[in-house]
Amino acid sequence: MGAQLRVYKRRIRSVTATKKITKAMEMIAASRVVKAHRKVQASTPYAKELTRAVTAVGTGSNTRHPLTTEAETPTRSAVLLLTSDRGLAGAFNSNAIKAAEQLTARLEAEGKEVDTYIVGRRGVAHYNFRERKIAEQWTGFTDQPEYADAKKVAGPLIEAIEKDTAEGGVDELHIVYTEFVSMMTQTPIDSRLLPLSLEEVAEEATPQGEILPLYDFEPSAEDVLDALLPRYVESRIYNALLQSAASKHAATRRAMKSATDNAGDLITTLSRLANAARQAEITQEISEIVGGSAALADATAGSDK
């Protein structure tokens, strides 16, 4: 066997092994994205009803609560960026990071200081490599987030917005995550969680034409807001974590399918090149045999004379 043919055979074996790995990863991601999407659907009713409750309290009272009242001149904002702990998901992480950087640039252009909070090793590594300050970070649960993880993330953020900016607090809380639209479409978006825009929340939580009921609050509307709004933030972060996890698995499935298809195409190309090299070797051997036979025949004919 010629040297060139051995090279092709070795590359075919290597690409075949890679194809098996990417195919397995594609199947794993496909199974995980279905489970993650079910969790997203299951969390939606709770988030919707909680949003209705928050809207009812906010619009049905004149209480000026720090979580529903915008600062006259906001000077500091917090941005929560959701990425994944693992890669191999195409442009999933880079798109989310790009959206966060654009949001940060916009807030800074408005004259606000920005504190960045990050979920996921990919986002943390990106900011650390560029020596950018991270207020707080969380890792290790992005593939299968639980409500306890959302609560852990929400705690420092709620504390920051309840503090005065002079004491290290923030006036606004924004979140950047990847919304799961379908198996083929995942869109990075940014939204402001706090302070709540009651008009926008009311439109989101209440169908058009429906009138919210009137409530009496005991012991007070402020106490009810103190209890409800942290839960609202936790539920929104939890839903965003689930959306991000489902999007990541869908992006991984798509990336691994593309890698598997490319490996198959490469194997086909290498097989054709190997066949051509083998045919060239056979042709050369036949030519050498024919040439040797002709030379032997000429030598025999010369000796007979």
Side-chain angles (χ1 to χ4, degrees), residues 76-150:
R76 198 168 186 179
S77 300
V79 174
L80 174 62
L81 168 62
L82 304 187
T83 61
S84 67
D85 289 324
R86 301 179 181 179
L88 300 176
F92 168 79
N93 288 302
S94 60
N95 287 341
I97 292 171
K98 182 179 179 181
E101 290 177 341
Q102 291 175 347
L103 172 61
T104 300
R106 187 169 71 248
L107 294 174
E108 290 177 344
E110 296 173 358
K112 303 172 185 175
E113 296 182 21
V114 178
D115 293 340
T116 303
Y117 297 76
I118 301 179
V119 175
R121 292 190 180 95
R122 292 294 171 174
V124 172
H126 177 88
Y127 275 70
N128 284 339
F129 180 77
R130 288 158 180 79
E131 298 181 349
R132 297 177 183 174
K133 184 180 178 181
I134 301 175
E136 197 155 348
Q137 62 191 47
W138 301 268
T139 60
F141 54 81
T142 59
D143 281 355
Q144 296 178 335
E146 301 293 340
Y147 192 85
D149 300 319

Side-chain angles (χ1 to χ4, degrees), residues 31 38 44 72 95 114 209 265:
S31 65
R38 288 174 181 170
T44 300
E72 294 183 1
N95 287 341
V114 178
D265 294 340

Side-chain angles (χ1 to χ4, degrees), residues 202-253:
E203 292 178 0
E204 177 184 343
T206 308
Q208 186 174 4
E210 182 178 343
I211 300 176
L212 287 173
L214 298 177
Y215 294 96
D216 289 329
F217 306 109
E218 293 291 344
S220 67
E222 185 175 1
D223 291 335
V224 174
L225 284 174
D226 287 338
L228 277 182
L229 282 172
R231 304 295 178 269
Y232 170 78
V233 175
E234 293 168 6
S235 68
R236 289 295 297 268
I237 292 178
Y238 180 54
N239 185 265
L241 286 170
L242 293 177
Q243 294 267 8
S244 182
S247 299
K248 188 268 177 183
H249 294 317
T252 297
R253 187 200 67 82

Side-chain angles (χ1 to χ4, degrees), residues 19 22-23 26 90 251-266:
K19 182 180 178 182
T22 57
K23 183 63 177 179
E26 176 191 348
T252 297
R253 187 200 67 82
R254 190 167 61 252
M256 292 302 100
K257 185 180 186 308
S258 177
T260 301
D261 293 342
N262 291 338
D265 294 340
L266 183 56

